[in-house]
Amino acid sequence: MRQIHLDFHTSEHLPDVAGRFDAEAFAGTLARAHVDSVICFARCHHGWVYYRSADLADRVHPQLRADLLEEQIRACRDAGIRVPVYTTVQWDDLTCTAHPEWRIQHADGSLEGTSPFEAGFYRKLCLNSPFRQFMRDHVREILTTVGGDGLYLDFIRPDVCVCAHCRRLMEETGLDPERPADREEFGVSTVNAFEAEMTAYARSLAPGCPVTYNGGHIGMRHRGIAGAYTHFELETLPSGGWGYQYFPVTARYARTLGPAVVGTTGKFHSTWGDFHSLKNKAALEYECYRMLAMAAGCSIGDQLHPSGVLDPDAYRLIGDVYAEVERKEPWCRGAVPVTEIAVLHPEEVLGGGVMQLPPAVQGVTRMLEEGGHQFDLVDSHADFGRYRMLVLPDHIRTGPRVAEKIERFTAAGGALVATFESGMTPDGSAFALPSLGVTARGPGETDAEGRPVRGRAFPRNDHTDYVRPGEALAGRVPRTEHTTYARGVDISADDGTDVLADTVAPYFDRHWRHYTSHLQAPSSGRLRGPAATRRGNAVYFAHPLFTQYERNAPLWMKHLFLDAVDLLLPEPLLRHDGPSTLRATVNAQPEEGRQVVHLLHYVPERRGSAFDTVEDVIPLHGLTVSLRTPGAVRAVTSVPDGTPLPHHTADGRTRIAVDRVDGHRMICVETS
């Protein structure tokens, strides 16, 4: 719950490494900072090891002045602090230099990673080379001679490699090394097999050994390999390239796969290795409290100075935050998210990876969070029946298996919202979901190369539509034309399908032969077809609302979507009257018979051009939260302070008066 990920990637050119290390002072600093777990290094990306190794005696850091890892483990255990042991996997500069034949090879014959005259150890080792045995021997030595409280194996990702080892194995398994798709498939199977094998091997040496792997992203491939993980640690430093949207997206998916979830941020102002910098306290609070709100544990990244001394100011900052985390823990341990909406993750269709989330998943996550809704991100193998609503964002084309599963969900009374090409056949030519009640009228306009323009962004909005909502979707937007910035799918409404909004055409598409003003032509008033429809418990929008919202956040698109959600879920799990910057989640502790509502109000800002941060906490006053409560409410209190909160229960909902939210407020609702 209160972990430190203590990096120690340390060059041989640095003198007197760990020369000032004092084991008791080290553990004492962590204990005073309310740390309960610290990840310490066996081997770093430079390739050096930090324990008395017999197998890798030539790899012990040449400037090391202490039995560093052994002493860290001893002192921390004496202080009641767990020490998972870190070792690198695919980044290891010494091994890459000694064995270039073990490196990943591209299809053009070049070696992957940092060039010889570039500063950095970013050269990847192939998991099918003899390096695989190197890792087994290394893990055996760690577990049998050093010990620790588990393994954290870092930097391991699916790779496309055509080295001799990979080519041979591909051919043995019936794959064609010349086919890019086969190489991609083999890369995923390679990393999954490595993780399964390594976890089984580690547990054969140390039964029950906790094991986790890090590649900077938890996504679709992890469903098939989740059993190799004791828990997922989500590397999502907002200032390190991941951004503030990365954690909620990955956490909402990872938590559906089975293993527990821990979020990882950093105390750094920017990213890993940013020595002598401190994150704004408000930002660190937000990042950790948001982990608790997502039913995750907390991990804060730091980098130990080569001297071996922890920075006291960094641990005063961390301690201030972790002291509050510790106070909040009784209402967070064993908590499970309470959700009612499932969003089918576009990564399953479009792919994705480290810092490469599909825009649609970020847009739908923003909209639902800003609307106060409780939701998970799921893949097509999930149990849809656990949810009241299913959302298909923009690009979820469906083959027969998935289409049949969605149809069963809606036939059983589940609500469905689909946008743009979601619900269409894999080739995008027709709709595969009869429950939507719409028919595609062809691919629509094409560009000069004959490619459909629907859904594509153009610098001056060359191909756009306008949406005019009807009464059912005009709760928050005026009934006028609203630009979509991109062309939608041309559809007609089937018999029995209601049209909730119309698509209105511009006078013409922008072109060198005919254009007006700076951007798209204005509305012509001519109806092109439906923009939004409803058939029973299913609503369809013809335009890519979520991708567009991630691009430039048109408020009217969010309001149209949230109004549709209100149509289908008139009694959502939670409502609040706070601003859209308020984040609200509901977790349950079944054994304690209570639900805990988390309210967070921290507002990330672009203070510099490189990344967002949080500097100020802006309090909110006089809020009302309405929670759907299935049983009799025995008590509503603010925790951890224990202050009773005014509340009233009627018609299955409990309205709670919240006087103030200073960054993070937790409300415990006890039911019987």
Side-chain angles (χ1 to χ4, degrees), residues 227-295:
Y229 290 70
T230 309
H231 61 287
F232 293 126
E233 296 203 17
L234 310 184
E235 183 183 16
T236 53
L237 283 70
S239 53
W242 285 264
Y244 272 102
Q245 201 61 16
Y246 211 94
F247 175 72
V249 169
T250 53
R252 288 179 185 278
Y253 176 70
R255 69 191 188 184
T256 70
L257 299 181
V261 172
V262 175
T264 300
T265 184
K267 71 87 188 175
F268 314 104
H269 178 64
S270 61
T271 192
W272 296 105
D274 186 2
F275 279 113
H276 306 289
S277 73
L278 296 176
K279 177 161 286 182
N280 299 342
K281 182 182 176 184
L284 192 60
E285 286 177 351
Y286 177 41
E287 291 156 26
C288 289
Y289 300 162
R290 187 170 61 163
M291 295 171 195
L292 300 181
M294 294 278 186

Side-chain angles (χ1 to χ4, degrees), residues 473-490:
L473 293 183
R476 296 178 237 206
V477 296
R479 295 181 64 177
T480 186
E481 286 87 353
H482 302 273
T483 184
T484 64
Y485 296 109
R487 184 62 44 81
V489 178
D490 286 336

Side-chain angles (χ1 to χ4, degrees), residues 68-361:
L68 185 60
L69 180 57
E70 295 96 324
E71 286 297 298
Q72 288 172 325
I73 292 173
R74 178 194 61 76
C76 287
R77 281 183 167 172
D78 289 346
I81 298 170
R82 294 171 57 83
V83 187
V85 174
Y86 171 106
T87 190
T88 186
V89 181
Q90 290 184 278
W91 279 346
D92 176 334
D93 193 48
L94 288 175
T95 302
C96 284
T97 300
H99 295 283
E101 74 278 11
W102 293 0
R103 287 177 59 185
I104 285 174
Q105 186 179 54
H106 293 151
D108 64 2
S110 63
L111 297 179
E112 191 277 340
T114 312
S115 68
F117 302 108
E118 184 181 353
F121 37 57
Y122 312 111
R123 305 174 184 94
K124 281 195 269 188
L125 290 153
C126 176
L127 298 175
N128 289 316
S129 72
F131 173 66
R132 197 181 192 114
Q133 186 61 46
F134 172 97
M135 281 300 304
R136 284 176 64 93
D137 294 341
H138 177 48
V139 164
R140 175 191 49 76
E141 185 176 58
I142 291 172
L143 292 178
T144 58
T145 66
V146 178
D149 298 297
L151 290 172
Y152 182 105
L153 291 98
D154 191 25
F155 201 80
I156 174 168
R157 296 176 183 171
D159 290 296
V160 173
C161 179
V162 296
C163 72
H165 308 287
C166 288
R167 293 198 307 273
R168 175 179 56 81
L169 288 170
M170 274 188 268
E171 290 179 337
E172 288 177 1
T173 55
L175 297 175
D176 183 354
E178 288 192 86
R179 292 187 69 243
D182 282 11
R183 296 198 294 265
E184 293 276 355
E185 177 185 339
F186 183 71
V188 173
S189 65
T190 291
V191 72
N192 285 359
F194 178 89
E195 290 178 357
E197 173 189 315
M198 191 58 69
T199 296
Y201 182 60
R203 289 175 179 162
S204 73
L205 299 169
C209 176
V211 181
T212 194
Y213 301 84
N214 178 51
H217 178 67
I218 299 294
M220 296 299 113
R221 83 165 178 91
H222 291 87
R223 171 173 286 280
I225 197 61
Y229 290 70
T230 309
H231 61 287
F232 293 126
E233 296 203 17
L234 310 184
E235 183 183 16
T236 53
L237 283 70
S239 53
W242 285 264
Y244 272 102
Q245 201 61 16
Y246 211 94
F247 175 72
V249 169
T250 53
R252 288 179 185 278
Y253 176 70
R255 69 191 188 184
T256 70
L257 299 181
V261 172
V262 175
T264 300
T265 184
K267 71 87 188 175
F268 314 104
H269 178 64
S270 61
T271 192
W272 296 105
D274 186 2
F275 279 113
H276 306 289
S277 73
L278 296 176
K279 177 161 286 182
N280 299 342
K281 182 182 176 184
L284 192 60
E285 286 177 351
Y286 177 41
E287 291 156 26
C288 289
Y289 300 162
R290 187 170 61 163
M291 295 171 195
L292 300 181
M294 294 278 186
C298 304
S299 186
I300 299 174
D302 184 22
Q303 181 139 322
L304 181 63
H305 190 275
S307 68
V309 177
L310 295 170
D311 179 358
D313 288 304
Y315 285 85
R316 274 190 285 271
L317 167 66
I318 292 168
D320 285 347
V321 176
Y322 270 177
E324 284 301 302
V325 170
E326 187 173 22
R327 290 182 67 228
K328 298 169 190 285
E329 267 178 35
W331 294 270
C332 300
R333 286 196 177 275
V336 293
V338 183
T339 57
E340 60 185 349
I341 298 174
V343 177
L344 207 52
H345 203 317
E347 184 179 322
E348 187 173 10
V349 178
L350 303 177
V354 183
M355 304 178 195
Q356 293 179 336
L357 294 175
V361 77

